[in-house]
């Protein structure tokens, strides 16, 4: 696939002038027909779910009725997303650490062309490698790709991550789990070490989400994490190494 491979596009932006500007810029790329538009989050979700007749979504971050991030799980699994944003600091950081493409408003013809080349390359070969994954901070948002699609998850909402061989189970403070194709070792290389630590072999815990610690007379300590129904037994050795980093331990 190359930059002239046909790609069907959806435009999702709550500002008609912004959509008109993207339409104007895309006119220089006739191989990218626009197959639909939406101006608010309700209409966007309906259009995204209606039919997977699109390959590319231009998605505004700030929409009437919600955030463009909220729509990521509704995008067809094989479709690419180019986010549109107006210099929103935290949004730009989320895009950069997750290697997701985005356009700063007002978009330019040159930057749009660059983005389209990147999308075409990703469609042909998979995500473009930009070297070692960037280190994350506790205020970052990570793009998690599970069987039900992709979604942005704040690191603060991750209670624990458990190894499942080449996969890992991301356990959220909401009580929901997401199985992702990423090893625990890869997570450990990215996550802030002062916030996430192994409490036993194969399990990383968010130390900020520890609610209570049960210390039985016999056996290992049991760590209760916010949002998880059952405590997790900790390794005595590993707990001894990190206990001074846990408030109130």
């Amino acid at each position: 696939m190359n930059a002239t491979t046909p790609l069907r596009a959806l435009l999702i932006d709550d500002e008609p002038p912004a959509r008109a500007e993207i339409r104007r810029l895309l006119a220089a790329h006739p191989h990218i027909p626009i197959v639909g538009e939406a101006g608010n989050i309700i209409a966007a979700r309906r259009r995204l779910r209606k039919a997977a007749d699109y390959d590319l979504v231009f998605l505004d971050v700030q929409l009437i009725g919600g955030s463009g991030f909220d729509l990521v799980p509704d995008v067809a699994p094989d479709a690419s997303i180019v986010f549109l944003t107006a210099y929103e600091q935290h949004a730009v950081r989320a895009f950069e650490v997750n290697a997701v493409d985005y356009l700063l408003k007002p978009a330019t013809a040159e930057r749009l062309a660059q983005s389209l080349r990147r999308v075409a390359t990703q469609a042909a070969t998979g995500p473009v490698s930009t070297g070692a994954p960037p280190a994350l901070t506790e205020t970052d948002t990570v793009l998690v790709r599970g069987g039900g699609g992709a979604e942005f998850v704040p690191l603060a909402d991750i209670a624990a991550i458990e190894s499942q061989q080449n996969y890992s189970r991301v356990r959220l403070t909401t009580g929901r789990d997401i199985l992702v194709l990423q090893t625990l070792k890869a997570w450990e290389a990215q996550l802030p070490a002062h916030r996430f630590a192994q409490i036993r072999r194969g399990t990383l815990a968010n130390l900020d989400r520890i609610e209570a610690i049960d210390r039985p007379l016999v056996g290992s300590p049991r760590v209760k994490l916010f949002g998880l129904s059952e405590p997790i037994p900790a390794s005595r050795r590993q707990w001894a190494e990190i206990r001074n980093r846990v408030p109130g331990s």
Side-chain angles (χ1 to χ4, degrees):
M1 183 176 289
N2 54 51
T4 58
T5 299
L7 293 171
R8 301 161 297 175
L10 290 181
L11 306 185
I12 299 175
D13 196 308
D14 58 9
E15 299 177 351
R19 296 201 304 273
E21 180 61 11
I22 294 296
R23 285 198 303 269
R24 185 185 70 81
L25 294 174
L26 284 176
H29 304 272
H31 60 289
I32 303 182
I34 298 171
V35 296
E37 298 186 21
N40 60 63
I41 198 164
I42 295 175
R45 181 168 284 122
R46 186 184 305 120
R47 180 59 182 86
L48 289 167
R49 293 176 175 178
K50 179 181 177 181
D53 59 349
Y54 54 90
D55 310 293
L56 172 61
V57 181
F58 289 93
L59 180 57
D60 191 18
V61 172
Q62 295 175 315
L63 293 166
I64 295 173
S67 165
F69 290 161
D70 299 333
L71 292 172
V72 172
D74 298 300
V75 175
D78 295 333
S80 299
I81 300 174
V82 174
F83 285 93
L84 307 172
T85 183
Y87 299 99
E88 208 286 313
Q89 180 181 359
H90 296 294
V92 171
R93 171 66 180 171
F95 305 146
E96 290 174 343
V97 300
N98 291 291
V100 176
D101 208 10
Y102 64 96
L103 294 174
L104 291 176
K105 297 179 180 180
T108 65
E110 180 180 2
R111 182 64 182 86
L112 175 65
Q114 179 186 11
S115 184
L116 294 177
R117 288 193 295 270
R118 181 185 178 114
V119 167
T121 301
Q122 288 178 330
T125 64
V128 178
S129 174
T130 56
L136 299 170
T137 71
E138 57 266 32
T139 59
D140 277 333
T141 299
V142 64
L143 183 63
V144 177
R145 303 178 188 274
E151 59 185 286
F152 283 96
V153 175
L155 286 190
D157 290 351
I158 297 177
I161 304 175
E162 297 176 340
S163 175
Q164 303 280 323
Q165 295 183 333
N166 291 332
Y167 290 79
S168 54
R169 183 165 62 139
V170 178
R171 310 197 65 186
L172 304 182
T173 56
T174 59
R176 192 162 58 91
D177 294 350
I178 306 173
L179 187 67
V180 301
L181 182 57
Q182 182 168 323
T183 65
L184 195 70
K185 184 176 181 180
W187 278 112
E188 200 166 12
Q190 279 188 277
L191 292 169
H194 63 291
R195 290 291 183 264
F196 287 82
Q198 286 206 38
I199 59 173
R200 65 179 181 185
R201 185 175 181 180
T203 301
L204 285 168
N206 185 343
L207 303 183
D208 286 340
R209 292 294 174 259
I210 293 179
E211 284 190 307
I213 304 154
D214 178 23
R215 302 177 182 85
L217 295 176
V218 179
S220 301
R222 292 167 61 82
V223 179
K224 177 69 173 69
L225 291 159
F226 184 83
L228 304 192
S229 59
E230 298 292 335
I232 299 176
S235 157
R236 282 184 174 273
R237 179 183 63 80
Q238 287 172 304
W239 182 250
E241 292 176 359
I242 66 171
R243 61 177 298 178
N244 62 339
R245 295 160 52 189
V246 179
S249 63

